């Protein structure tokens, strides 16, 4: 049977439109629309004009004394050290606790649908915290709105990170805290932050303090992971780490910004405010580069951590953790408590420092200056004979590149100084040009969003250069940049056949399934680490018992910050490198081998 549709002649209304226009039908539709609006909380009124950002209450300098600055979203150590920095600058601070599953559920309840789980966790966590202030500590809603502000990062790009600010405000409004202040500093911002400088003074002291806190937090995390994997007394590393973190917090809190004082200040200020500001910033910068204000305390921390006894003659797989920034950094339910799980399953982990992300942003500045060097407005392209214009373009480019290079060099220098102060066992910041060269054929290095090409680059870097047995990539469910990266990783794994790479999508649920998948991949990495250790021992003249006996006679070998080279090609594991080093020491001391058992049997028994 064929159905035909007849189109009414031009100018003639259809019968349906005639029905809808009847007063009785109009009344019924109006009543239904009103009822639906009340039940579902929607509005059918027409919207005229452009969207306007909701009014944001100011945070001004006079409010600092009675306003608490809230922040969070990183590891506890980063946040605790950052609190010390802010307090040294005169701010009242409070750290929002590590997000849990309840925070995730609150984020879903009060926020928009379709967000990634870092959004739900962090947004819900802030709502959970202000609800705690109201329901447990007894503060009124208005007291909380007037007495607290939340500081968070912002960015743009192909990811929902750019919507976090709006999500915080929406969830707070829906939870009954409309008007709560959310302060934003941009991922691509600098010292000039416009209207935010009134209450939150983003000057050189602010940013240098943040970088010092980030670097110290990175290194405390990395060294603690190195020690925890081989500790002989369970919990000893965590105890030393907690004491060290609190000690460094007090150091950060007591640090006073360098400034011009006395007669020198009077002399410089007589030349004008601009001259005084330049001179004072130079003093602050030199103070950062030349003093040991953070290095000497880190040396004390290294001595505390070095008191933990370790046994490195245990073959353990090294797992490099990469992925989306928040998922690879947080230490709670947001990534299924993955760091603790990996350690409990017998892995040595290498976590990703925030320093890599900062170095990546500096690299982007340098690369963009090169890519855009010859871009000019249409009609303003210099002619071949306009040498002055060409020279000006080249000079502008060289200046931008030099500034980015200088900033990167200084940043890496300061990080390296902290590495050495903390015992010298932590990794240096990876070279960004090398990372570009490794990843570009698989993932275009100009594709931004998240960590760009770095996820692919890190997989190749740590696997192909024998720094890790396995790479675990943690990312939120539905994260577009990380999903794109996973698509490229299939080509990477096909090229490098021996690598063990596992991507895990995180959410508020599915922890058991994620842990099960990690266990399966980790089983292969464990077998590889044990096989490697057995092969190394079979090539050595000493038995495992002789190596252990030598360690017992030399207590410094049980110290976690004892440094030994990792120079043998294609050897990954700490235990294998340590056994090679022990052999070299024993041979240098003239100790003769006497094998009583085979090393293969000894390794199998571990």
């Amino acid at each position: 049977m064929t159905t035909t549709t007849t189109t009414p002649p031009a100018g003639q209304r259809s019968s349906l439109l005639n029905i809808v226009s009847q007063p009785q039908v109009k009344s019924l539709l109006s009543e239904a629309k009103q009822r639906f609006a009340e039940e579902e909380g929607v509005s059918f009124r027409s919207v005229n004009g452009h969207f306007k950002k909701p009014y944001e209450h100011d945070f001004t300098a006079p409010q600092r004394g009675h306003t608490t600055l809230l922040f969070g979203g990183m590891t506890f150590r980063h946040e605790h050290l950052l609190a010390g920095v802010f307090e040294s600058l005169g701010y009242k601070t409070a750290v929002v606790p590590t997000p849990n599953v309840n925070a995730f559920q609150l984020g879903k309840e009060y926020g928009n649908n379709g967000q990634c789980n870092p959004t739900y966790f962090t947004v819900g966590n802030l709502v959970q915290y202000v609800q705690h202030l109201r329901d447990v500590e007894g503060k009124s809603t208005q007291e909380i709105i007037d007495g607290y502000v939340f500081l968070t990062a912002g960015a743009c790009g192909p990811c929902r990170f750019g919507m976090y600010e709006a999500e915080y405000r929406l969830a707070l409004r829906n939870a009954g805290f409309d008007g709560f202040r959310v302060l934003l500093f941009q991922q691509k911002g600098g010292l000039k932050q416009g209207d935010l400088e009134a209450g939150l003074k983003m000057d050189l002291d602010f940013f240098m303090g943040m970088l010092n806190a980030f670097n110290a937090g990175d290194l405390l995390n990395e060294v603690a992971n190195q020690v925890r994997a081989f500790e002989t007394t369970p919990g000893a590393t965590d105890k030393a780490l907690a004491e060290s973190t609190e000690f460094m917090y007090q150091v950060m809190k007591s640090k006073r910004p360098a400034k011009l004082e006395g007669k020198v200040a009077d002399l410089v200020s007589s030349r004008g405010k601009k001259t005084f500001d330049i001179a004072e910033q130079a003093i602050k910068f030199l103070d950062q580069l030349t003093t040991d204000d953070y290095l000497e305390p880190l040396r004390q921390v290294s001595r505390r951590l070095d008191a933990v006894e370790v046994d490195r003659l245990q073959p353990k797989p090294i797992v490099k953790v990469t992925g989306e920034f928040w998922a690879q950094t947080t230490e709670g339910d947001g990534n299924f408590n993955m760091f603790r799980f990996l350690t409990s399953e017998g892995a040595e982990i290498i976590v990703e420092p925030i320093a890599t992300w900062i170095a990546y942003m500096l690299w982007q500045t340098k690369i963009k200056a090169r890519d855009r060097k010859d871009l000019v407005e249409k009609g303003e392209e210099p002619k071949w004979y306009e040498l002055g214009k060409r020279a000006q373009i080249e000079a502008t480019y060289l200046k931008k590149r030099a500034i980015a290079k200088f900033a990167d060099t200084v940043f890496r220098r300061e990080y390296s100084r902290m590495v050495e102060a903390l015992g010298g066992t932590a990794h240096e910041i990876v070279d960004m040009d090398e990372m570009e060269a490794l990843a570009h054929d698989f993932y275009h290095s100009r594709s931004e969003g998240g960590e760009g090409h770095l996820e692919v680059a890190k997989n190749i870097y740590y696997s192909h250069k024998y720094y890790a047995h396995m790479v675990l990539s943690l990312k939120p469910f539905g994260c577009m940049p990380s999903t794109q990266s996973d698509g490229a990783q299939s080509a990477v794994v096909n090229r490098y056949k021996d690598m063990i790479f596992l991507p895990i999508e995180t959410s508020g649920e599915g922890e058991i399934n994620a842990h099960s998948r990690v266990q399966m991949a980790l089983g292969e990495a464990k077998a590889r680490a044990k096989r490697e250790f057995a092969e190394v021992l079979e090539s050595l003249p000493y038995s495992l018992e002789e190596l252990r006996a030598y360690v017992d006679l030399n207590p410094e070998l049980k110290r976690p910050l004892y440094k030994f080279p990792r120079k043998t090609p294609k050897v990954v594991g700490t235990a294998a490198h340590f056994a090679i080093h022990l052999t070299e020491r024993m041979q240098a001391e003239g100790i003769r081998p006497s094998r009583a058992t085979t090393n293969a049997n000894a390794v199998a028994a571990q």
Side-chain angles (χ1 to χ4, degrees):
M1 179 177 178
T2 304
T3 302
T4 59
T5 302
T6 303
T7 303
Q12 180 178 335
R13 296 166 61 90
S14 70
S15 58
L16 180 60
L17 290 177
N18 289 328
I19 294 173
V20 171
S21 65
Q22 294 177 7
Q24 187 177 3
V25 175
K26 279 186 174 181
S27 177
L28 290 172
L29 288 174
S30 177
E31 291 175 5
K33 186 182 293 186
Q34 182 178 354
R35 185 173 64 254
F36 184 78
E38 292 174 354
E39 292 176 355
E40 301 299 331
V42 298
S43 173
F44 291 94
R45 62 185 177 83
S46 60
V47 178
N48 298 316
H50 296 289
F51 169 80
K52 293 183 179 180
K53 183 178 178 180
Y55 176 75
E56 179 72 14
H57 297 278
D58 293 329
F59 173 42
T60 60
Q63 296 173 338
R64 290 179 190 167
H66 60 269
T67 302
T68 300
L69 186 65
L70 301 177
F71 56 93
M74 295 169 286
T75 73
F76 169 77
R77 278 154 296 284
H78 287 100
E79 293 163 352
H80 199 46
L81 299 181
L82 204 55
V85 169
F86 289 153
E87 289 168 15
S88 75
L89 298 176
Y91 299 100
K92 291 177 62 178
T93 66
V95 177
V96 181
T98 302
N100 54 22
V101 174
N102 185 56
F104 173 80
Q105 298 297 343
L106 286 174
K108 294 182 71 174
E109 178 181 353
Y110 292 115
N112 277 312
N113 293 327
Q115 298 297 312
C116 56
N117 73 291
T119 312
Y120 287 137
F121 271 104
T122 55
V123 170
N125 199 39
L126 178 58
V127 172
Q128 182 174 248
Y129 185 81
V130 294
Q131 286 180 340
H132 173 84
L133 294 176
R134 182 192 62 192
D135 301 337
V136 178
E137 298 190 14
K139 297 182 184 293
S140 70
T141 299
Q142 196 58 47
E143 282 180 311
I144 296 170
I145 292 173
D146 293 339
Y148 292 83
V149 298
F150 182 70
L151 176 65
T152 185
C156 59
C159 132
R160 281 160 285 202
F161 187 34
M163 298 300 297
Y164 276 30
E165 177 190 11
E167 282 297 311
Y168 281 117
R169 292 195 173 98
L170 173 67
L172 288 164
R173 182 171 68 250
N174 291 342
F177 296 91
D178 191 17
F180 189 97
R181 289 165 291 179
V182 177
L183 302 184
L184 187 74
F185 65 90
Q186 288 287 342
Q187 177 179 343
K188 296 183 180 180
L191 297 181
K192 296 180 181 179
Q193 296 292 330
D195 57 339
L196 296 185
E197 290 184 351
L200 188 64
K201 191 176 181 182
M202 292 188 177
D203 55 10
L204 195 59
D205 290 323
F206 178 88
F207 281 100
M208 287 198 308
M210 285 184 64
L211 291 178
N212 285 317
F214 288 160
N215 289 347
D218 285 343
L219 295 172
L220 284 174
N221 282 338
E222 180 171 357
V223 173
N225 286 325
Q226 292 175 347
V227 179
R228 190 183 293 112
F230 299 100
E231 64 184 7
T232 57
T233 303
T237 305
D238 288 340
K239 183 174 185 296
L241 180 60
E243 294 171 358
S244 300
T245 302
E246 180 61 28
F247 173 69
M248 288 304 300
Y249 160 76
Q250 295 296 337
V251 169
M252 299 280 180
K253 182 178 179 180
S254 61
K255 165 73 175 174
R256 291 295 171 261
K259 58 183 180 179
L260 284 174
E261 296 178 311
K263 294 181 179 180
V264 176
D266 295 337
L267 177 63
V268 176
S269 61
S270 65
R271 298 178 177 271
K273 185 177 184 306
K274 184 177 181 180
T275 302
F276 180 85
D277 290 343
I278 293 174
E280 188 165 65
Q281 289 200 14
I283 290 295
K284 294 177 185 295
F285 194 65
L286 288 173
D287 178 74
Q288 171 69 39
L289 297 180
T290 59
T291 64
D292 282 359
D293 292 342
Y294 299 119
L295 303 185
E296 184 53 40
L298 283 173
R299 295 185 186 105
Q300 297 182 46
V301 168
S302 71
R303 290 191 285 272
R304 174 64 185 92
L305 290 171
D306 205 34
V308 178
E309 184 179 290
V310 296
D311 174 16
R312 290 192 184 89
L313 288 174
Q314 306 174 67
K316 295 196 171 189
I318 298 178
V319 178
K320 170 63 183 176
V321 180
T322 68
E324 184 270 338
F325 179 79
W326 186 82
Q328 72 179 1
T329 303
T330 189
E331 294 181 324
D333 293 340
N335 65 4
F336 303 133
N337 298 278
M338 193 59 72
F339 302 150
R340 292 289 176 179
F341 177 75
L342 287 167
T343 302
S344 68
E345 289 293 312
E348 176 187 356
I349 63 174
I350 305 175
V351 296
E352 191 61 44
I354 294 177
T356 304
W357 178 61
I358 296 172
Y360 173 56
M361 290 192 294
L362 292 172
W363 176 84
Q364 281 185 314
T365 301
K366 180 182 68 174
I367 292 301
K368 286 179 180 178
R370 185 181 70 192
D371 291 346
R372 298 174 180 177
K373 181 181 68 169
D374 297 324
L375 293 179
V376 295
E377 293 291 334
K378 187 175 181 180
E380 295 184 5
E381 300 91 341
K383 305 295 189 294
W384 65 269
Y385 54 82
E386 293 179 312
L387 302 181
K389 281 189 177 181
R390 291 180 176 275
Q392 185 178 5
I393 292 173
E394 188 68 23
T396 301
Y397 159 67
L398 292 175
K399 179 182 178 181
K400 289 180 179 179
R401 189 175 178 87
I403 292 173
K405 177 64 176 176
F406 177 73
D408 183 68
T409 301
V410 170
F411 177 63
R412 289 174 182 273
R413 174 188 182 270
E414 292 305 291
Y415 193 84
S416 294
R417 291 211 301 162
M418 284 193 174
V419 168
E420 288 303 314
L422 200 54
T425 62
H427 297 81
E428 297 288 347
I429 303 172
V430 293
D431 181 84
M432 286 297 148
D433 291 328
E434 181 180 5
M435 302 301 273
E436 179 193 21
L438 289 172
H440 189 78
D441 289 344
F442 301 97
Y443 193 105
H444 201 288
S445 56
R446 302 306 188 268
S447 297
E448 297 186 13
E451 296 213 337
H453 63 277
L454 287 187
E455 286 189 52
V456 170
K458 291 172 191 173
N459 188 17
I460 300 172
Y461 181 83
Y462 284 93
S463 298
H464 189 57
K465 301 192 76 168
Y466 299 97
Y467 293 144
H469 295 98
M470 169 182 162
V471 175
L472 174 65
S473 179
L474 300 173
K475 68 275 307 289
F477 176 77
C479 175
M480 191 182 78
S482 282
T483 301
Q484 291 178 173
S485 174
D486 281 351
Q489 296 283 17
S490 60
V492 174
V493 174
N494 189 57
R495 173 82 62 87
Y496 301 97
K497 304 289 187 181
D498 293 334
M499 66 172 46
I500 303 174
F501 171 74
L502 177 65
I504 291 290
E505 286 191 329
T506 62
S507 65
E509 304 89 7
E511 180 173 334
I512 294 176
N513 179 59
H515 285 179
S516 177
R517 291 185 61 206
V518 171
Q519 281 179 320
M520 287 189 290
L522 193 59
E524 184 180 351
K526 285 180 179 179
R528 185 173 294 184
K530 286 188 175 183
R531 185 166 59 250
E532 173 190 71
F533 188 50
E535 290 172 354
V536 166
L537 287 180
E538 284 300 312
S539 69
L540 301 179
Y542 303 101
S543 68
L544 182 59
E545 290 81 0
E546 289 174 306
L547 296 178
R548 289 192 176 280
Y550 181 75
V551 170
D552 290 336
L553 293 174
N554 296 272
E556 75 276 9
L557 297 173
K558 297 182 179 181
R559 303 275 68 85
L561 300 185
Y562 173 80
K563 294 171 67 176
F564 57 93
R566 297 172 180 250
K567 59 186 181 181
T568 306
K570 298 186 177 183
V571 172
V572 181
T574 298
H577 282 292
F578 190 57
I580 294 170
H581 172 67
L582 293 178
T583 298
E584 292 174 349
R585 273 191 54 160
M586 293 167 72
Q587 288 177 329
E589 294 176 14
I591 299 176
R592 301 183 65 180
S594 57
R595 289 201 171 208
T597 61
T598 65
N599 279 320
N601 293 334
V603 173
Q606 289 203 25

